[in-house]
Amino acid sequence: MIAISSISFGEDVEREVLDTLRSGMVAQGPKVARFEEGFAELVGTRHAVAVNSGTTALIAALRVLDLQPGDEVLTTPFTFVATLNAILDAGATARFADIGEADFAIDPDVAEQCVNERTRVLMPVHLYGQTADMGALMPLAESRGLAVVEDAAQAHGATFDGRGAGSFGLGCFSFYATKNLTTAEGGMVTTDDDAVADRLRVLRNQGMRRRYEYEMAGQNFRMTDLQASLGLPQLGSYLQQVESRRRNAEALRTGLKDVEGLVLPSELAGRGHVWHQFTVVLAPDAAIDRDTLARRLGDRGVGSGVYYPRTVYDYDCYREHPRVIVSPTPIATSVARRCLSIPVHAALSTDDVDRIVAAVREAMEA
């Protein structure tokens, strides 16, 4: 079976982890600081503050904005549940704007219509490795006085007009095991604001700047040096890994471009895609549906994944939640029923890509 994702660590990672174990410093320490410096350089920001998960990164970013009851965060309904959970955890109200099918991200025109007097934060999600349309979203945020929190969990190294995802506002990244760059669990908040970075560092350390000197109500949001040891060596080879993903994505696009009923993802003009996922969409008039395609691919030894099968609010625990405001999002609802991700990861061989192309073509024609 060709898996939808692949996780492997080289000898450089083993050496880094062993060095950490032998040092006796396994909690947050110098390895975390080095990882933060390297990641800030990748994103292009002054600061990167490591935390213990991507969800925590979102929560911390919202917490330092001092949101009040009734304040709204405007985001996309087509995302992982962590986006919504972080908004609720921060005490804010979630409101949703529909997406564009070309980039799977929040539609700036729809977002503008959804902004109201209670909106405090605009939270775009850079899905599958490509940024949202920050060229339109940033002027909207600036004109309406909104803070920007980027859910860049899947977009390490992605760019918009040469500027890194996570450098437009407060950038929130995940290093979960299946991400392009992983520490098994872990996250990062990026910012150019010195004061915000300082608050984030105090917040993640139980509100302490120095031991037993508390400045705010905080949390234990810290990353460990063991986690950072997994990520540090990957930083040095990360851009080469992204290039492998890009080659695989181009080969998939070339091999599948004429398959009837299949809408392929693309790298939009001005955007640097890092291909966390290669997500196809079944056309409304396709001969088969998404679930049939997934089953047929599995029968042919090709893994796939549905990210995501429903809009994020379409679950019992959120439908009647007093701080979840639901409005029609027809494009997101439709795409959630028709999307399927197929393997694009850097571990694929040329033969693997050829097998994936053949399997998709056969499955669509069977």
Side-chain angles (χ1 to χ4, degrees):
M1 177 70 73
I2 300 175
I4 184 65
S5 63
S6 176
I7 304 167
S8 62
F9 298 109
E11 293 182 359
D12 53 349
V13 173
E14 294 178 9
R15 287 193 298 269
E16 195 75 46
V17 171
L18 186 57
D19 177 72
T20 301
L21 291 173
R22 288 172 172 168
S23 75
M25 173 59 76
V26 295
Q28 182 177 301
K31 297 286 180 76
V32 170
R34 285 174 50 202
F35 189 47
E36 290 174 328
E37 291 170 5
F39 197 77
E41 183 176 352
L42 174 68
V43 173
T45 54
R46 288 170 54 83
H47 303 281
V49 180
V51 292
N52 53 26
S53 75
T55 306
T56 296
L58 292 166
I59 293 169
L62 292 170
R63 285 276 301 273
V64 298
L65 295 177
D66 294 325
L67 300 178
Q68 301 300 310
D71 288 346
E72 292 185 3
V73 178
L74 180 61
T75 191
T76 164
F78 191 58
T79 182
F80 183 55
V81 72
T83 309
L84 175 53
N85 284 341
I87 294 169
L88 298 178
D89 188 272
T93 297
R95 186 180 290 273
F96 304 95
D98 210 351
I99 65 170
E101 193 163 332
D103 61 6
F104 305 103
I106 191 168
D107 183 317
D109 292 333
V110 180
E112 185 171 15
Q113 298 169 18
C114 293
V115 173
N116 60 51
E117 68 278 3
R118 294 178 297 279
T119 312
R120 284 284 313 281
V121 181
L122 179 61
M123 184 185 284
V125 178
H126 306 316
L127 205 61
Y128 304 143
Q130 183 163 231
T131 70
D133 185 357
M134 301 309 291
L137 292 171
M138 289 306 295
L140 170 61
E142 291 162 3
S143 68
R144 303 299 290 270
L146 307 179
V148 174
V149 174
E150 301 169 69
D151 185 337
Q154 302 178 6
H156 317 65
T159 58
F160 184 92
D161 283 347
R163 184 171 172 181
S167 70
F168 292 86
L170 282 168
C172 301
F173 295 85
S174 169
F175 303 122
Y176 181 66
T178 58
K179 296 300 188 289
N180 290 15
L181 197 161
T182 178
T183 59
E185 290 281 5
M188 195 79 76
V189 184
T190 54
T191 180
D192 283 324
D193 190 312
D194 296 348
V196 168
D198 182 68
R199 289 199 71 197
L200 286 165
R201 293 187 176 104
V202 173
L203 173 65
R204 75 174 173 187
N205 192 36
Q206 299 287 14
M208 293 186 292
R209 185 177 303 280
R210 287 173 291 275
R211 192 168 179 80
Y212 302 130
E213 294 183 14
Y214 303 100
E215 297 185 6
M216 62 189 299
Q219 293 283 348
N220 175 5
F221 286 163
R222 297 184 298 268
M223 177 183 278
T224 70
D225 266 21
L226 277 174
Q227 291 169 296
S229 297
L230 293 177
L232 270 169
Q234 294 176 62
L235 280 173
S237 59
Y238 181 66
L239 295 182
Q240 293 96 305
Q241 188 230 114
V242 170
E243 283 305 309
S244 294
R245 288 176 175 268
R246 285 177 173 155
R247 285 193 298 271
N248 292 339
E250 184 56 32
L252 290 170
R253 282 182 47 79
T254 299
L256 298 172
K257 64 183 179 181
D258 61 344
V259 176
E260 187 174 351
L262 200 65
V263 181
L264 303 179
S266 63
E267 182 176 71
L268 300 179
R271 306 192 206 187
H273 205 317
V274 295
W275 296 102
H276 174 62
Q277 298 290 351
F278 188 95
T279 301
V280 302
V281 177
L282 276 293
D285 60 351
I288 62 173
D289 62 17
R290 183 264 311 285
D291 294 338
T292 300
L293 175 58
R295 185 179 67 254
R296 289 178 177 178
L297 289 178
D299 291 342
R300 289 164 171 80
V302 173
S304 62
V306 179
Y307 312 108
Y308 299 95
R310 301 187 195 178
T311 51
V312 73
Y313 53 72
D314 189 21
Y315 295 87
D316 289 344
C317 57
Y318 300 118
R319 286 192 191 98
E320 304 301 326
H321 195 291
R323 288 189 284 117
V324 176
I325 299 176
V326 177
S327 55
T329 54
I331 296 176
T333 300
S334 176
V335 169
R337 296 190 184 113
R338 297 183 289 119
C339 66
L340 186 72
S341 296
I342 59 177
V344 74
H345 54 80
L348 296 174
S349 67
T350 301
D351 287 344
D352 289 334
V353 174
D354 290 343
R355 278 184 58 197
I356 295 166
V357 168
V360 173
R361 296 184 73 91
E362 292 169 6
M364 291 294 293
E365 296 167 1

